[in-house]
Amino acid sequence: MATLTGLNKTKTAVFISGKGSNLKSLIKFSKIKDSPISIELIISSNLKAKGLKYGKIFKIKKKVFDFKNKNISENRLISTLKKNEIKMIFLAGFMKILSKNFIKRFKGKILNIHPSLLPKYKGLNTHRRALDNNEKYSGCTVHFVNSKLDSGKIILQKKVKVLKNETEETLAKKILVEEHKLYPKAILKIFNL
Ligand code: GAR
């Protein structure tokens, strides 16, 4: 396989709102020699997002858009993405809903990771709802983003067993470990690698 240098990698941005553990795993993945992507920008909807620290640690540009006025935030966001020649977006714990217009602009170029086996448990509180329904399995999904919440084409899923005495916290932790492996695998898959 030809070696990908910083020059011919696809420029991407990762959108976060919180801890950023998926962001960290994507940054590590982007630095592998044969990774098809470079991460040029971290976008956060939250000034206090812990994940913003990875901008400093890995020397990646970061920007905060509060989305209080979605239209204004998205217009500024689009200019930032253009300026940085971003070709692909990875949502990683990004808790804002992007407008139909924004999604249309980046059609087929936005991926999301969700902590359930979609189409089950779209939206919030996935682990609580899976436990309340006595699910034997839960997991995570990487999918393309379309205009309907958590409903775009599925790229990859990973199933985990729900154990007896499982709590929201233990399940979330176990699934997060799988998320960190699944997102890079899904990216390789869409690049046919
Ligand atoms: C992850 O579990 C991710 O799947 C979930 O938020 C967490 C973010 O963790 N995303 C959603 O629920 C999106 N609807 P992280 O900030 O440590 O990556």
Side-chain angles (χ1 to χ4, degrees):
M1 189 197 296
T3 303
L4 289 159
T5 66
L7 285 175
N8 51 19
K9 289 190 179 200
T10 298
K11 293 185 176 178
T12 73
V14 180
F15 289 19
I16 63 166
S17 299
K19 206 158 42 111
S21 69
N22 276 291
L23 164 66
K24 185 183 174 199
S25 95
L26 289 177
I27 294 172
K28 292 206 156 160
F29 166 67
S30 74
K31 293 185 178 298
I32 294 169
K33 183 165 61 83
D34 290 330
S35 166
I37 59 154
S38 67
I39 296 172
E40 306 288 327
L41 255 185
I42 298 166
I43 301 294
S44 175
S45 63
N46 170 10
L47 184 62
K48 296 199 170 124
K50 292 224 169 77
L52 281 168
K53 70 173 182 227
Y54 295 115
K56 197 162 183 197
I57 296 173
F58 294 101
K59 299 192 173 56
I60 298 172
K61 238 188 265 177
K62 51 189 193 313
K63 282 226 163 208
V64 178
F65 297 91
D66 64 15
F67 279 76
K68 279 187 185 133
N69 179 319
K70 198 190 287 206
N71 221 356
I72 294 177
S73 282
E74 284 191 349
N75 284 336
R76 290 186 182 148
L77 177 54
I78 288 169
S79 321
T80 305
L81 296 172
K82 267 194 182 162
K83 210 159 71 191
N84 289 277
E85 301 174 324
I86 300 301
K87 300 288 184 264
M88 196 153 227
I89 294 166
F90 303 125
L91 308 185
F94 183 68
M95 301 316 247
K96 297 285 176 188
I97 295 177
L98 295 162
S99 73
K100 283 194 170 68
N101 212 21
F102 183 94
I103 293 167
K104 220 163 110 189
R105 228 185 154 102
F106 288 91
K107 195 165 182 271
K109 303 291 177 198
I110 312 176
L111 268 59
N112 180 41
I113 188 150
H114 186 75
S116 78
L117 294 173
L118 290 173
K120 281 192 168 176
Y121 308 115
K122 296 173 183 174
L124 299 176
N125 304 314
T126 53
H127 307 309
R128 178 75 269 137
R129 288 186 285 144
L131 290 174
D132 287 348
N133 283 341
N134 293 315
E135 295 286 359
K136 286 200 171 61
Y137 293 94
S138 188
C140 47
T141 305
V142 178
H143 64 94
F144 285 106
V145 172
N146 68 9
S147 58
K148 280 197 193 148
L149 184 68
D150 299 328
S151 298
K153 188 168 181 271
I154 290 172
I155 301 163
L156 276 183
Q157 290 187 307
K158 174 72 185 180
K159 213 164 149 181
V160 305
K161 208 165 180 355
V162 179
L163 302 176
K164 261 196 230 154
N165 306 323
E166 196 90 69
T167 65
E168 244 179 290
E169 289 71 31
T170 59
L171 186 57
K173 211 169 153 185
K174 189 157 77 176
I175 290 177
L176 199 56
V177 171
E178 297 304 329
E179 291 184 37
H180 298 158
K181 296 184 255 179
L182 194 70
Y183 219 154
K185 269 193 195 166
I187 293 169
L188 287 173
K189 187 174 175 198
I190 63 163
F191 278 89
N192 296 316
L193 292 172

